[in-house]
Amino acid sequence: MPFLVSGNIDLVERPSLRKLEKHLGIILSPHQYPLEQYNLIRGSLKQKLDSDTLIRSMTRRELLSFIYILTQFGDVVQGETPDEYLDVENVPVVLEWQPGHFMIPYEILDFLAQSRVFRNQNYLFALIPALPSKEKKAWLEWIGAGYGRSFPREINHELYFQCRHLQKPFQGKSLVQEESIRLEQLWAPGKNETVDWFYKGIMPFYSSMKELQRSERDPFLLHVLDLIRSGKLVLKRLPEEFGKREEFQLVSTVEGNTPQLRDTVFSWEEAREESEDFLFR
């Protein structure tokens, strides 16, 4: 998984770190506090990074490489990636943090998640931050992961990390072919008590799905529940219409439709439960 450059600059190869510093117009020093580095990077991103401009500045091969890395949850390993998707030398937001290891740092993913471009195209990294806090916590509880962290962005990162591992066995496949499905097409209001808890505002959506998984017997709907739990399908509110009740759909995520090719597991990923977002302190 990608990680925050903030607090971890010693893990990033100097030429690659210099590329990021030059693009953002900043200098990162080990003498700075991690939060100071984070604010420095975020402040510069607000001033200098525009997703539309970034995309237009890339060649076709660079754009394909950038998009491919996004579909791989923000990081790839050279030996497990087709060569045509590694044309990133001149893409400032992709860092070769160690030889043959490429990533889009979390600071940049968090910033790009605010762009309508990525939300409208249903990239998981952009849909997770848009969910209400209660839904994200309920989702983590369903997955079985903790969320005892201080900041919302850390909950976002935890969900993103968990979904990558949950999605890998699917190899980008599912029985659901539609890009979006109205929730009521699967569970109509008044037809399923557990889902009605969500419709009536009694329980978060992901809590109701967790409860439903215990009682559902339909093989297709059980498959759908697995897709929801792994982030291959994500809840999205439909635009409100005056005089009508809230309606929701499940949208198919870009990452969820793409086979996850990385098999390499980094040591920090195995030990991450003992650490927080500044992984290498």
Side-chain angles (χ1 to χ4, degrees), residues 19-204:
K19 181 175 79 167
L20 180 66
E21 290 176 321
K22 185 176 180 181
H23 178 70
L24 295 180
I26 61 175
I27 295 176
L28 297 172
S29 164
H31 302 295
Q32 299 161 333
Y33 290 111
L35 184 58
E36 184 181 358
Q37 295 171 348
Y38 181 82
N39 290 334
L40 192 63
I41 294 171
R42 289 285 292 177
S44 184
L45 286 172
K46 289 179 181 179
Q47 294 180 358
K48 300 199 173 185
L49 185 63
D50 173 79
S51 57
D52 292 335
T53 303
L54 175 68
I55 289 170
R56 287 196 298 269
S57 70
M58 296 183 202
T59 65
R60 182 176 179 276
R61 279 180 60 92
E62 288 170 346
L63 181 58
L64 286 174
S65 300
F66 173 66
I67 295 299
Y68 178 78
I69 295 173
L70 285 179
T71 70
Q72 298 296 299
F73 283 77
D75 78 325
V76 296
V77 174
Q78 185 169 9
E80 299 167 352
T81 305
D83 289 341
E84 62 265 31
Y85 297 133
L86 285 177
D87 190 353
V88 295
E89 183 177 352
N90 296 317
V91 180
V93 296
V94 177
L95 304 186
E96 187 174 7
W97 62 279
Q98 292 289 306
H101 299 160
F102 301 83
M103 72 161 181
I104 302 171
Y106 265 139
E107 289 96 338
I108 292 168
L109 285 175
D110 291 343
F111 185 79
L112 293 178
Q114 303 171 31
S115 169
R116 288 185 181 179
V117 173
F118 298 106
R119 285 202 306 269
N120 290 345
Q121 292 182 10
N122 296 327
Y123 279 87
L124 180 61
F125 79 87
L127 292 178
I128 288 175
L131 287 169
S133 177
K134 65 178 182 180
E135 291 293 359
K136 289 185 277 193
K137 291 179 179 179
W139 190 358
L140 279 176
E141 287 177 352
W142 184 17
I143 291 172
Y147 56 87
R149 291 171 164 79
S150 303
F151 300 103
R153 61 178 165 80
E154 294 170 344
I155 295 177
N156 297 340
H157 298 173
E158 181 68 21
L159 271 172
Y160 197 55
F161 174 85
Q162 296 292 339
C163 285
R164 178 178 203 159
H165 291 281
L166 290 171
Q167 287 185 18
K168 188 170 177 59
F170 287 96
Q171 289 299 303
K173 300 175 182 178
S174 82
L175 299 178
V176 177
Q177 301 301 313
E178 295 86 352
E179 291 185 4
S180 65
I181 309 172
R182 285 180 179 260
L183 192 60
E184 61 186 25
Q185 291 178 259
L186 298 169
W187 297 285
K191 299 294 184 181
N192 186 295
E193 181 182 13
T194 305
V195 186
D196 280 346
W197 293 340
F198 166 66
Y199 288 137
K200 294 176 181 178
I202 299 172
M203 181 179 285

Side-chain angles (χ1 to χ4, degrees), residues 216-230:
E216 184 60 68
R217 294 294 178 264
D218 184 294
F220 175 73
L221 291 179
L222 283 171
H223 176 69
V224 170
L225 287 168
D226 284 338
L227 300 180
I228 296 170
R229 183 171 180 266
S230 66

